[in-house]
């Protein structure tokens, strides 16, 4: 009970500074806070990443950081099934866990350019691979598999690392033929490219860019998404693509990299600004929660010859992680700083947030992996 009381106090301080200040601005959202509902603790040596939550069955899908194993636990943190096949096994999904999701009473895991489908006891059902050249970058333990519907059929919407055409990002065709996502038929293992760049996208400026990563939420056939280094929030309907919209995110400050010359190369030698970045994006009801860093102007970048722990603290001070709420009507909250004792990793189908405890901030090392279940409520 003391731990819960302390945690609620930390939440209040971290997200809202326990302020009673109110605003009458009609374009500003009322104050919200995170309410601690529950937590799950797993006795495990090492790191565990929460991949998905099965709300109805109260099951939790975890992956290990280094050995590519998977665990299914109940709400008490007890392991009810596990997957520990070697990476070269025909029942495995390759070297690395990209994403995982509960889908139609199955578990689907995305590895590097390949997928595997299991039942809830990790009995292998079938697997399939990408049908086009994969990206040369692998996003480990990301939320890049979402349940979606196309013409009322349940499918998966995936970000596999880049568009299907396999064209380098310094070529015009990369942008004119771009697809942000793949719509996957799990039964047949087919991949349908969906969602081009919006006409207002800065990635259609004629410049070239490095890796472009979307962060997204799907509700039925509706996709809400952002790109990690952009200032627009997009909405796209799989059955009505003509309704594609873009909304400006009212950041307090967000440094943009304007890109480099098409058919040229990115300049890694010339000192430049640290660009702004969206780290996480979640949607609950009509509220969009965006966590971001604004970036650092080149002249304000700290001395990089300092000790690593000093540099980490200095970068966090100069370029803190912040969050903002934006609803579907265009109203927004004032940006506020996040705190470092935990970080939100996902939202479940009931609209609950799951936040991982930051073990680096603990005064004493713990034998338990802790995830907190939070609800976003109006103050």
């Amino acid at each position: 009970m003391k731990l819960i009381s302390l945690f609620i106090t930390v939440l209040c301080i971290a997200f809202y500074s326990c302020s009673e200040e109110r605003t009458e601005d009609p374009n500003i959202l009322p104050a919200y806070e995170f309410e601690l509902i529950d937590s799950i603790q797993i006795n495990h040596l090492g790191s565990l990443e929460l991949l998905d939550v099965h709300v109805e069955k109260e099951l939790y899908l975890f992956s290990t950081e280094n050995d590519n194993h998977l665990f299914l636990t109940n709400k008490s943190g007890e392991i009810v099934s596990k997957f520990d096949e070697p990476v070269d096994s025909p029942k495995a999904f390759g070297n690395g866990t990209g994403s995982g999701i509960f889908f139609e009473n199955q578990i689907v895991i995305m590895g590097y350019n390949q997928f595997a489908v299991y039942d809830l006891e990790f009995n292998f059902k079938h697997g399939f691979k990408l049908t086009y050249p994969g990206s040369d970058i692998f996003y480990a333990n990301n939320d890049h598999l979402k349940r979606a519907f196309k013409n009322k059929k349940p499918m998966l919407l995936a970000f596999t690392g880049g568009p299907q055409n396999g064209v380098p990002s310094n070529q015009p065709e990369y942008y004119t033929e771009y697809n942000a996502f793949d719509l996957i038929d799990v039964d047949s293992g087919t991949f349908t490219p969906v969602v081009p760049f919006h006409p207002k996208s800065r990635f259609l400026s004629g410049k070239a860019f490095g890796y472009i990563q979307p962060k997204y939420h799907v509700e039925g056939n509706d996709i809400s998404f952002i790109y990690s280094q952009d200032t627009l929030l997009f909405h796209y309907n799989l059955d009505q693509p003509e309704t594609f919209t873009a909304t400006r995110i009212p950041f307090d400050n967000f440094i943009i990299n304007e890109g480099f010359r098409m058919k040229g190369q990115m300049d890694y030698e010339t000192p430049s600004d640290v660009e702004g970045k969206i780290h996480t994006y979640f949607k609950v009801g009509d509220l969009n929660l965006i966590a971001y860093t604004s970036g650092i102007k080149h002249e304000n970048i700290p001395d990089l010859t300092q000790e690593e722990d000093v540099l980490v603290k200095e970068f966090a001070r100069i370029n803190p992680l912040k969050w903002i709420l934006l609803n579907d009507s265009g109203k927004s909250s004032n940006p506020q700083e996040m705190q470092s004792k935990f970080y939100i990793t996902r939202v479940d189908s009931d609209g609950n947030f799951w936040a991982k405890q930051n073990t680096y901030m603990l005064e004493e090392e713990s034998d338990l992996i802790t995830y907190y279940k939070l609800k976003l409520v109006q103050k």
Side-chain angles (χ1 to χ4, degrees):
M1 183 62 70
K2 290 182 179 179
L3 174 61
I4 293 178
S5 299
L6 176 61
F7 187 73
I8 291 175
T9 301
V10 170
L11 281 175
C12 184
I13 294 172
F15 285 94
Y16 309 97
S17 300
C18 297
S19 173
E20 296 299 323
E21 183 180 352
R22 294 291 186 271
T23 178
E24 300 300 325
D25 189 330
N27 295 316
I28 299 297
L29 287 171
Y32 280 81
E33 63 184 351
F34 281 85
E35 180 180 277
L36 176 63
I37 300 173
D38 204 350
S39 66
I40 181 173
Q41 292 186 315
I42 305 94
N43 191 349
H44 177 77
L45 183 62
S47 179
L48 283 180
E49 299 299 328
L50 179 61
L51 297 179
D52 199 15
V53 177
H54 197 306
V55 172
E56 291 78 15
K57 294 183 180 295
E58 295 186 323
L59 294 174
Y60 303 82
L61 176 62
F62 290 93
S63 70
T64 58
E65 187 174 35
N66 298 319
D67 55 15
N68 220 38
H69 292 174
L70 303 171
F71 296 96
L72 210 57
T73 77
N74 58 23
K75 63 182 297 185
S76 299
E78 300 166 335
I79 296 174
V80 296
S81 59
K82 62 181 180 179
F83 176 87
D84 55 5
E85 291 276 345
V87 297
D88 57 353
S89 167
K91 299 178 182 179
F93 44 88
N95 188 13
T97 306
S99 302
I101 189 172
F102 293 106
F103 180 76
E104 303 294 290
N105 285 318
Q106 305 172 118
I107 296 171
V108 181
I109 302 295
M110 179 168 67
Y112 183 55
N113 295 339
Q114 64 186 77
F115 295 74
V117 182
Y118 307 94
D119 64 18
L120 297 184
E121 294 181 349
F122 290 113
N123 294 309
F124 180 75
K125 301 187 72 173
H126 71 278
F128 52 94
K129 296 184 178 182
L130 287 185
T131 55
Y132 56 89
S135 170
D136 59 353
I137 186 170
F138 180 67
Y139 296 92
N141 297 310
N142 267 265
D143 201 9
H144 287 163
L145 280 178
K146 307 280 190 179
R147 181 184 177 88
F149 285 84
K150 171 70 173 174
N151 296 325
K152 299 184 179 180
K153 179 177 180 177
M155 306 182 81
L156 288 178
L157 191 78
F159 171 65
T160 63
Q164 284 197 10
N165 61 20
V167 175
S169 66
N170 65 350
Q171 300 298 313
E173 294 79 12
Y174 180 93
Y175 303 91
T176 58
E177 301 172 6
Y178 185 84
N179 64 282
F181 307 105
D182 284 297
L183 199 58
I184 303 175
D185 186 316
V186 176
D187 295 327
S188 63
T190 56
F191 298 78
T192 302
V194 293
V195 190
F197 283 124
H198 189 278
K200 292 183 178 179
S201 174
R202 75 187 193 95
F203 300 118
L204 294 179
S205 66
K207 294 283 191 177
F209 298 85
Y211 296 110
I212 300 172
Q213 181 189 12
K215 299 181 183 297
Y216 60 109
H217 173 85
V218 183
E219 190 69 36
N221 56 7
D222 286 316
I223 309 169
S224 303
F225 69 101
I226 52 87
Y227 292 106
S228 60
Q229 289 152 328
D230 196 8
T231 57
L232 293 176
L233 170 64
F234 302 98
H235 294 282
Y236 183 93
N237 187 283
L238 290 168
D239 294 323
Q240 297 176 307
E242 68 277 6
T243 63
F244 201 1
T245 63
T247 303
R248 183 72 57 186
I249 303 169
F251 291 124
D252 53 343
N253 184 32
F254 198 86
I255 297 174
I256 290 290
N257 181 334
E258 299 298 337
F260 58 97
R261 181 176 57 84
M262 193 68 75
K263 298 186 178 182
Q265 299 294 326
M266 189 179 297
D267 182 3
Y268 292 102
E269 301 298 326
T270 304
S272 61
D273 300 336
V274 174
E275 60 186 318
K277 180 179 180 180
I278 296 173
H279 294 263
T280 54
Y281 164 70
F282 306 102
K283 184 174 173 64
V284 175
D286 75 335
L287 291 176
N288 302 273
L289 187 149
I290 301 162
Y292 68 101
T293 46
S294 292
I296 311 174
K297 298 298 290 184
H298 174 252
E299 59 269 21
N300 296 326
I301 294 176
D303 180 6
L304 301 180
T305 63
Q306 300 178 82
E307 294 292 332
E308 182 179 354
D309 58 339
V310 175
L311 265 180
V312 169
K313 292 179 181 179
E314 188 68 3
F315 270 99
R317 182 187 68 82
I318 298 174
N319 192 28
L321 183 65
K322 296 175 281 188
W323 68 279
I324 189 171
L325 286 176
L326 178 67
N327 72 7
D328 290 342
S329 299
K331 293 183 179 181
S332 62
S333 67
N334 292 314
Q336 300 188 52
E337 286 191 21
M338 287 279 197
Q339 55 87 46
S340 57
K341 294 186 180 297
F342 66 90
Y343 50 94
I344 298 172
T345 63
R346 65 190 57 254
V347 63
D348 66 28
S349 58
D350 274 354
N352 301 306
F353 292 87
W354 290 89
K356 184 179 182 181
Q357 184 182 58
N358 186 353
T359 55
Y360 293 104
M361 298 301 294
L362 297 177
E363 294 182 1
E364 296 181 4
E365 187 176 355
S366 174
D367 295 329
L368 299 174
I369 304 293
T370 302
Y371 276 84
Y372 300 106
K373 182 181 180 181
L374 311 172
K375 195 82 171 180
L376 186 64
V377 297
Q378 188 173 326
K379 291 186 72 174

